[in-house]
Amino acid sequence: MATASPNPSPTALSVPSSSLGAVVLTESATNHEYPVHVINDSPNSLVARIVLCYWDNIMGPCVRHLWNSEAQGMHVPQSALDYIATHTLSGEITRDEDDPTIDFRFFLIRESNLIVTSFVFGAIGGNESVVHSLSIVVRQEHRQRCLELQALMSSWMLRGIHHLRVYLEKETGDTSMDRFTPYLMQFIQMLTSLNESGLPGRISDCDIDTAFNPDCGCQFDGHFLCRAISSHLISARCSVVVGDNPNKVNKMIATLGLFLDSAERQCSRFVLYGNKSCPYSPDLFLQGFLQSASGELNTSLKDVHLSQRPTTLIDLTTQEVKFSCQPHQHLALQYRAVKRKLNELWTGRADNTFPFRSIGAKIILESHFYLLPFFSEMFHTFDEPETLVTNLFEEWKLLPPNIKQHEAYISQFISGLDRKAMTLIRFVECETNCGQNPLKISVKKLRQDLSLKVPGDFSIVLATAEKLKPGIFHFVTKGNNIDPAEFLDSF
Amino acid sequence: DAQIFNPFTEIQVFNGHTNIVRFLVDIDGQNFASAGDDHLIFIWDAFDGRRQQVLDEHTRPLTCLSVFRNCASSCILLSAASDKIICLWNPLSGDLLRVLKEPVFTTRAFGVYSDNVDVFYSGGESLCMWSHNGELIKEIKRNDAEDVQMITMLSKSILIVTANRKMTVCESDETDLEELVNLPLHNEKITCVTRLNDSHFASGSLDGSIILWSSNDFSRVKFLSLKRQDFQGSNHCFPYSVQCLSPVDEFYVICAMNCGFYIQDIRTNKHLAAVSTAHYSKIRAASFVFDNLVLATSSEDGLIRLWGVLESIESAARVMDSEYSEKSSAPVLDTFFGTKDYKKRSLQLLGECTGHCGSVYKCLPYGMEGFMTCSADGMVILWKDGLRQ
Amino acid sequence: MFGGYTEVAAYYVDNEPLSSSGYPELPLPEEYIPPYSTPDPWHQKAACQEDFILIAEFSEREGPKPVITIPTNCCQKAKNGFDLNDFSVRLMSVDFQTVAGDSFALSEDSYVLVSETKYGIYAYVHHFTLYDSQARGFVRPFCMAFVTPDHGKLIASHKEMASEFSKVSHCFKYGNLLLFVKDMSYYLSDLMYTKERFSDFEKIREKEKENDDENPQELLLLEAFNNPNEDHILESVTEQGLATAIREVKHILDVTTVLMNDSDMEQRFRTLEQKSRSTSESNEGNELSSENFQYSCSLHSESGQPWTDAEKVAQHRPSSVNDLEDSWNMDHYEMYKPRVVRTTNKKGFDESLRTLHELCRWGAKEGLGLLRGIHRYFSRDMTTLHIERRDAASIEPSPGLLTIGRSVQLNFLSCAGPLKSVSDEVTSPCSLVSSPSGNITQRWLSDDTLASFHSAESFLSCSEGASSDESKRSSLDRKLSEPEDVAGCASAFSSEYTVVRPDSLDFQSAVLFPQVPVISAADHITNLSTKSLGHGFLSFVGRYAVTPHVLFSLLCGRPLVIIGTTRKETDIRAMVTALCCFVPGHASHSVCAWLTRPLKLTDLSKFRLVGMGREKKSMDQLVPNSLKNYVSVLNMETKTLSCPAYQGGILTEIYKKRKAFRHEKPYLSYIHSVLYDLSHKALFYYHAFSTSEVAATNEITNSISTAERSRYQFLSNKFGSKLRLADCDIKIVQYLVEVIKCQQIQFLHKDESFPGAPQPNIKLQPSKCTVFKMS
């Protein structure tokens, strides 16, 4: 089994690797002082600084806390920090402090050549709720990279801000920052891992082979490979590959990477092990982990439901392909996982009960969780029949070796999926007047109408559509109109 | 129908003539010339259909077009028109080498033996012999009402000059030309004269008679076909008119008579194959194409029809093709009939090449690609094997 | 697998966790749990569901306010109390532009991405500063914002958006610069004049003081120069003030004049001016206003602010021709008659400042034109942008590009291995087809209408340097060109195709490699209009059960001719429009909507789909007998279709699906995806079979015998079964491969510098035809 043992304490989130550490200093601006965490990260880190600012009722916008990258921090002058404070908070005077939403800013400070991604939110500052901003400061030469990683960074930051708000409510002053720092360190570590071991924009630019590489042929069992690819496509192209041989794991990662677009590959990494190892990072498209001889993973996959997308787990040792959940359940599960995580932070207790133990269906576990059938296991075996990937693979085998430009060939396959997905989207749009009316026809009828009779084919196309039109998956499959939010609210 | 045995599914259209195209001459295997009633001669690249040259000198419709390679191996295109001049061209560069204005008459025919000759002949009111660069060597004034219509070269020195019903044998030695003998008259206008082998030639005429002649003593050997009873037909349409005689393998001749054609053994007078109504209208030309497996006939009805023996085509499918070069030197009819034993066979209509919408005048086999036709509709078409492309 | 929530509900038992570890436990306050939000694919929850562009300015008097939106009525349906004025305040409240120091300095543009989560909208905001001689500090801060409910769009298109908005800003600023420099020069001469007058004035005053009565004549003389107004102004002027003002203005001119170096832009402005001059001349009265400025500032009127007369005039005549001429021409400065001015407080608050149009002149027109283009481009949904971007990437190398109905399918050479010599030769970059999105402005030229398909303008737009000047044709050439070709629709072709090189007056006319704009399937579907290719296909399918046979002819390259009497012209044109999305290949003009002369053999190389019509009595001559073997004929009079019968799955499936798809958009989208699958099969066929096997055998022997012929047949059938295709479908795949091969041949020939015009080969497909009755 690929699941790992539960993490004993949510506070002990500090990273196993020794490359990161944090020292607390104090730095002073013109009119006030604020604490600084210095983070020893690798020179390959993307982030120069992370700045927390807030609206002080007396002094106006000012810096509250600073996380300074030791490797890059010196490039950020104080004036830039003041600029960030002013420019993220001044426009927010009218903001309702209790507004739960988190707003987003992305701008350039020309004089200091810095790119700033800020998140504006309300949180406790002093004794009352005031407007805060948390900003990631990156040097301008990383602008392109920053844009590519924008969705990933946003997702991590939003999650982090939810944590931070709980800390700020619960703890006082600097303790909350101490509690929050490990999260940011993980964040930086995740970005660093992408910089150091990320997939390239074009797979053919790197030395790693893929199963479609004509020169070395496919080393995977064809059936297993097809299942892996189709599950990967169905789970919004988000997969974790585990195995005992790093080369094989990487080969699978590169193979699946062929099915991603360039921006998605930027948010994917090869397997990390030894002193580079990095824990499971939610929201990456591809990541790999090594198994010990006894089948233990070097990370916990506990946070898999926190990810924005459902995840496929591909186990090269057992040749198993598994789902973190059915894609249509993912939203509810993710919501539940986030809520659980925040509760953990709030109560200071890890919730060990769920769902890391393989148990029989419908059995009451521990004291208070009734596990639903689909919750009973972390991952479910993927067994949906499909023809799209299988046919692709069959055709690929027939191509003469000299023209197996696998990357272009797969990319053309993906374009075909895009067309099918577009048809699905336009169909649903016309049937429902762009979502204003509910979809009246059944999923089965939809499958027939779109000539996607094989269930797996439909799932692949639907997942592709979801990528092009986020939310359509839910719209199409919600079927009996039960809102999972209401339904899971009381967790 | 689907014409599965018709290989000519790809064509190259040479578009440009604005009137009837009567003449089609191969220049060097890649380039060819076409000319007709619009006074112009076009030189085309058969490979990609480019119009290489336009030779614009004549002011009247062309009357004859011929090409010869002189002793210096350079290619010269001869053209004559009813404007009573003869032009000598370098067809590849388009240069007009010389215009022959004297003697003044409309040239109806050129006589060119083959390559590497120093002289050529032209006929009309009189018969002329010219050096390769256009110097008049000899002119024979003919006291005849009829102009020379055809000049057929039997050998380097013997010419058959045809004028209406009359054939005259002439002899030349490159410095002089003289009339040797007049042959017995045909009943009607002679339509074609062809050299069959070293010792025989044949002539056909409007009345349907075909005569086999000896090239040695110019005697009439026999009738390959006799004069028909009512050869004039109603309205002088000559229903038995011999349109074309093509020699095959020395002892055979394809003879197109009105709408039909047959392949005849000149030794036995037997027809090896015959199609009596092959077209809706008179056949103008016939030739073997597609590795001699197919006989193409072109007609005034605008069609080109393809004929062959099904068994030989099907059996050819089983032969590996590496012996192509061998095959090409084999007798044509061996391939066509698929056997060395020529019995009377029935020919199948293999396909129809439609495209022209006017009388098809010439049908010129063109390399391995296919064949070329020209027509009254102003178009020249190269018919190609679609699969090869 | 779907719809499992009822199941879930059945198992769910609500049971609040109890404290088991003795912690005093308060539940986590609700506000710290992010609200669960159901996905919103069509942004129903957003305040504005449609993208729009807003231009706002920081007004001296009113603070931030909206100026222009594109489209004008974008916020009429705004929900959740979204207010454009508030939004403008939000955007302009923080000055993201570099604040200049004490002296005048140019400020660079800056941009920021912002979210308004409350309203569910996101914006790319581009700040820029215009200069105004009448404004405080001479600056007028503006911003342009692309506002969308789709966050992903801003991130994915950030780079393009930033560069496109910079272009717009450059237009505005350049137009503004020309005016500003002119204004400031005038102001400078005013100041110099004032200085002069001021010294006179001082002299008079001194004289007045010194000797009141002396020399009254001189005084009179001096006073003659004065007028009371000037005196009034001069009272308030100080020498130092004047000096400072002059120094400042000179500095500003130094800084700004050097920027006037964009001759391209000036040329563009001049063209705009000429265009509008000719429009207004030909169209006196309703002039350029209605077309050019319909978008401008209707916001003002909406917000109930009546136009001032001056503004109205300005709206309609942003700058008179003469005015503009001034700004081009430095000589005109000499003609300016300076007047006495104040050095401070030049403008009262009662006077309104100039509008964007007045400030930027032709730059505003140019810039707003670009903005409308940007809006058209980016307001399409992400699906479209994404697919179009992918399509654009497959345009090169162009000989390998397969299009069907001019819409990009895929590129056959993009996955060719390095070993293939052909691909090596042809991968050299060439811009034969205008990319749908490679160049954002170029894309708009490829409007997907039949009209533009045939218009010479669209052709010329992509063949730079090619001269199609008729006058350069020699008389001989004219004699040779077929006069009948000009009849009917073909007129456009002859002028487009036969381009005579100016240097040769003989017969060496060159046929250009035809250049036709291609479109992306995604864009085609998104912008589907009555003029789009394929429009009306759904109703065609509904009406004619013979559709699969019709499509078969089109997709295997057999020309389809629709004939009828001239009375049916509209119907036939509509049918051509509906069907032309099935015509493969873009390399030659292959669709002709209406032809009135008989079909010719050479047409077979050009046309794949032709609508033809004549009077009833001569209708039969439209397709001559000699061509009947090669074309499929849909006769609208006899209601018959004569064509090879289709027996296969793919096209039948398209026909069957007519009932599942009740709307044309998804139906055409479905067809695009079917055609893409076919193209993908063709790609596979091309690589796996036709290039390797036949090429190999061709090298060994020099001819194709019947033996090979049958082997070819065998192999292609074998591949048919591998591709899971029926006989007829294999023919389609083979034809698609053929199209690509022809393009490659054509492309290779294009490079040769032989004179003359290579003629395309014409593929004849004599096939057994079946006559179908249509009703």
Coordinates of all heavy atoms in Angstrom, one line a residue, chain B residues 291 293 311-327 334-335 338-339, chain C residues 701 703-711:
Chain B
D291 N 3.3 1.0 -70.8 CA 4.1 -0.2 -71.0 C 3.5 -1.1 -72.0 O 3.7 -2.4 -71.9 CB 4.3 -0.9 -69.7 CG 5.0 -0.1 -68.6 OD1 5.5 1.0 -69.0 OD2 5.1 -0.6 -67.5
L293 N 0.7 -2.1 -72.5 CA -0.4 -2.9 -72.1 C -1.7 -2.4 -72.6 O -2.7 -3.0 -72.6 CB -0.4 -3.0 -70.6 CG 0.5 -4.0 -69.9 CD1 0.6 -3.7 -68.4 CD2 0.1 -5.4 -70.2
E311 N -6.8 -10.4 -69.5 CA -6.0 -11.4 -69.0 C -4.5 -11.0 -68.9 O -3.8 -11.2 -67.9 CB -6.0 -12.7 -69.8 CG -7.4 -13.4 -69.9 CD -8.1 -12.9 -71.1 OE1 -7.8 -13.3 -72.2 OE2 -9.0 -12.0 -71.0
S312 N -4.1 -10.3 -69.9 CA -2.7 -9.9 -69.9 C -2.5 -8.8 -68.9 O -1.4 -8.7 -68.3 CB -2.3 -9.4 -71.3 OG -3.0 -8.3 -71.7
I313 N -3.5 -7.9 -68.7 CA -3.3 -6.9 -67.6 C -3.3 -7.6 -66.3 O -2.5 -7.2 -65.4 CB -4.4 -5.9 -67.7 CG1 -4.2 -5.1 -69.0 CG2 -4.5 -5.0 -66.5 CD1 -5.0 -3.9 -69.1
E314 N -4.2 -8.5 -66.1 CA -4.2 -9.2 -64.8 C -2.9 -10.0 -64.5 O -2.4 -10.0 -63.4 CB -5.4 -10.0 -64.6 CG -6.6 -9.2 -64.2 CD -7.9 -9.9 -64.4 OE1 -7.9 -11.0 -65.0 OE2 -9.0 -9.3 -64.0
S315 N -2.5 -10.7 -65.6 CA -1.3 -11.5 -65.4 C -0.1 -10.6 -65.2 O 0.9 -10.9 -64.5 CB -1.1 -12.4 -66.6 OG -0.7 -11.7 -67.7
A316 N -0.1 -9.4 -65.8 CA 1.1 -8.5 -65.6 C 1.2 -8.1 -64.1 O 2.2 -7.8 -63.6 CB 0.9 -7.3 -66.5
A317 N 0.0 -8.2 -63.5 CA 0.0 -7.9 -62.0 C 0.8 -8.9 -61.3 O 1.3 -8.6 -60.2 CB -1.4 -7.8 -61.5
R318 N 1.0 -10.1 -61.8 CA 1.7 -11.1 -61.1 C 3.2 -11.1 -61.4 O 4.0 -11.6 -60.7 CB 1.1 -12.5 -61.3 CG 0.0 -12.8 -60.3 CD -0.7 -14.1 -60.7 NE -2.0 -13.9 -61.2 CZ -2.4 -14.3 -62.4 NH1 -1.5 -14.9 -63.2 NH2 -3.6 -14.1 -62.9
V319 N 3.6 -10.5 -62.5 CA 5.0 -10.5 -62.8 C 5.7 -9.4 -62.0 O 5.1 -8.3 -61.9 CB 5.1 -10.1 -64.3 CG1 6.6 -10.1 -64.7 CG2 4.4 -11.1 -65.2
M320 N 6.8 -9.7 -61.5 CA 7.5 -8.6 -60.8 C 8.0 -7.6 -61.8 O 8.3 -8.0 -62.9 CB 8.6 -9.2 -59.9 CG 8.2 -9.5 -58.5 SD 7.0 -8.2 -57.8 CE 8.2 -6.9 -57.4
D321 N 8.2 -6.4 -61.4 CA 8.4 -5.4 -62.4 C 9.8 -5.1 -62.7 O 10.2 -4.2 -63.4 CB 7.7 -4.1 -61.9 CG 7.9 -4.0 -60.4 OD1 7.1 -4.6 -59.7 OD2 8.9 -3.3 -60.0
S322 N 10.7 -5.8 -62.0 CA 12.1 -5.5 -62.2 C 12.6 -5.6 -63.6 O 13.6 -5.1 -64.0 CB 13.0 -6.3 -61.2 OG 12.6 -7.7 -61.3
E323 N 11.9 -6.4 -64.4 CA 12.3 -6.7 -65.8 C 11.8 -5.6 -66.7 O 11.5 -5.9 -67.9 CB 11.9 -8.1 -66.3 CG 12.2 -9.2 -65.3 CD 11.0 -9.5 -64.5 OE1 10.1 -10.2 -64.9 OE2 10.9 -9.0 -63.4
Y324 N 11.5 -4.5 -66.2 CA 10.9 -3.5 -67.1 C 11.7 -3.2 -68.3 O 11.2 -3.2 -69.4 CB 10.7 -2.2 -66.3 CG 10.2 -1.1 -67.2 CD1 8.9 -1.0 -67.7 CD2 11.1 -0.1 -67.7 CE1 8.5 -0.1 -68.5 CE2 10.7 0.9 -68.5 CZ 9.3 0.9 -68.9 OH 8.9 1.9 -69.8
S325 N 13.0 -3.1 -68.2 CA 13.8 -2.7 -69.3 C 13.8 -3.8 -70.4 O 13.7 -3.6 -71.6 CB 15.2 -2.4 -68.9 OG 15.7 -3.5 -68.1
E326 N 13.8 -5.1 -69.9 CA 13.7 -6.2 -70.8 C 12.4 -6.1 -71.6 O 12.4 -6.3 -72.8 CB 13.6 -7.5 -70.0 CG 14.8 -8.4 -70.1 CD 14.7 -9.5 -69.1 OE1 13.9 -10.4 -69.4 OE2 15.4 -9.5 -68.1
K327 N 11.3 -5.9 -70.9 CA 10.0 -5.8 -71.5 C 9.9 -4.8 -72.6 O 9.3 -5.0 -73.6 CB 8.9 -5.5 -70.4 CG 8.1 -6.7 -70.0 CD 6.9 -6.4 -69.3 CE 7.2 -5.4 -68.1 NZ 6.0 -5.2 -67.3
D334 N 3.6 -8.8 -77.9 CA 3.8 -9.9 -76.8 C 3.2 -9.4 -75.5 O 2.5 -10.1 -74.8 CB 5.3 -10.1 -76.6 CG 5.8 -11.0 -77.7 OD1 5.1 -11.3 -78.7 OD2 7.0 -11.5 -77.6
T335 N 3.5 -8.1 -75.2 CA 3.1 -7.6 -74.0 C 1.6 -7.3 -74.0 O 0.8 -7.6 -73.1 CB 3.8 -6.2 -73.7 OG1 5.1 -6.4 -74.0 CG2 3.6 -5.8 -72.2
G338 N -0.2 -10.5 -74.0 CA 0.2 -11.3 -72.8 C 0.7 -12.7 -73.2 O 0.9 -13.6 -72.4
T339 N 1.0 -12.9 -74.5 CA 1.5 -14.2 -75.0 C 2.2 -14.0 -76.3 O 2.0 -12.9 -77.0 CB 0.3 -15.1 -75.2 OG1 0.7 -16.3 -75.9 CG2 -0.9 -14.5 -75.9
Chain C
T701 N 12.7 0.4 -58.2 CA 12.3 0.3 -59.6 C 11.8 1.7 -60.0 O 11.5 2.5 -59.2 CB 11.1 -0.6 -59.8 OG1 10.0 -0.1 -59.1 CG2 11.4 -2.0 -59.2
S703 N 9.4 2.3 -62.2 CA 8.1 2.4 -62.7 C 7.1 1.7 -61.7 O 7.5 0.9 -60.9 CB 7.9 1.7 -64.0 OG 7.9 0.3 -63.8
I704 N 5.9 2.0 -61.9 CA 4.9 1.3 -61.1 C 4.2 0.4 -62.0 O 3.5 0.8 -62.9 CB 4.0 2.3 -60.4 CG1 4.7 3.0 -59.3 CG2 2.8 1.6 -59.8 CD1 3.8 3.6 -58.3
S705 N 4.3 -0.9 -61.7 CA 3.6 -1.8 -62.6 C 2.3 -2.1 -61.9 O 2.0 -1.7 -60.8 CB 4.4 -3.1 -62.6 OG 4.4 -3.7 -61.4
T706 N 1.5 -2.9 -62.6 CA 0.3 -3.3 -62.0 C 0.5 -4.2 -60.8 O -0.3 -4.2 -59.9 CB -0.5 -4.1 -63.0 OG1 0.4 -4.9 -63.8 CG2 -1.3 -3.2 -63.9
A707 N 1.6 -4.8 -60.7 CA 1.9 -5.6 -59.5 C 2.0 -4.7 -58.3 O 1.4 -5.0 -57.3 CB 3.3 -6.3 -59.7
E708 N 2.7 -3.7 -58.5 CA 2.8 -2.7 -57.4 C 1.5 -2.1 -57.0 O 1.2 -1.9 -55.9 CB 3.8 -1.6 -57.7 CG 5.1 -1.8 -57.1 CD 6.0 -0.6 -57.5 OE1 5.6 0.5 -57.3 OE2 7.1 -0.9 -58.0
R709 N 0.8 -1.9 -58.1 CA -0.5 -1.3 -57.9 C -1.4 -2.2 -57.0 O -2.0 -1.7 -56.1 CB -1.2 -1.3 -59.3 CG -2.3 -0.3 -59.5 CD -2.7 -0.2 -60.9 NE -1.5 0.3 -61.7 CZ -1.3 1.6 -61.9 NH1 -2.0 2.5 -61.3 NH2 -0.2 2.0 -62.6
S710 N -1.3 -3.5 -57.2 CA -2.2 -4.3 -56.4 C -1.6 -4.4 -55.0 O -2.3 -4.5 -54.0 CB -2.3 -5.7 -57.0 OG -1.0 -6.3 -57.1
R711 N -0.3 -4.3 -54.9 CA 0.4 -4.4 -53.6 C 0.0 -3.1 -52.8 O -0.4 -3.2 -51.6 CB 1.9 -4.4 -53.7 CG 2.5 -4.9 -52.5 CD 4.0 -5.3 -52.7 NE 4.8 -4.8 -51.6 CZ 5.6 -3.8 -51.8 NH1 5.7 -3.2 -52.9 NH2 6.3 -3.4 -50.7

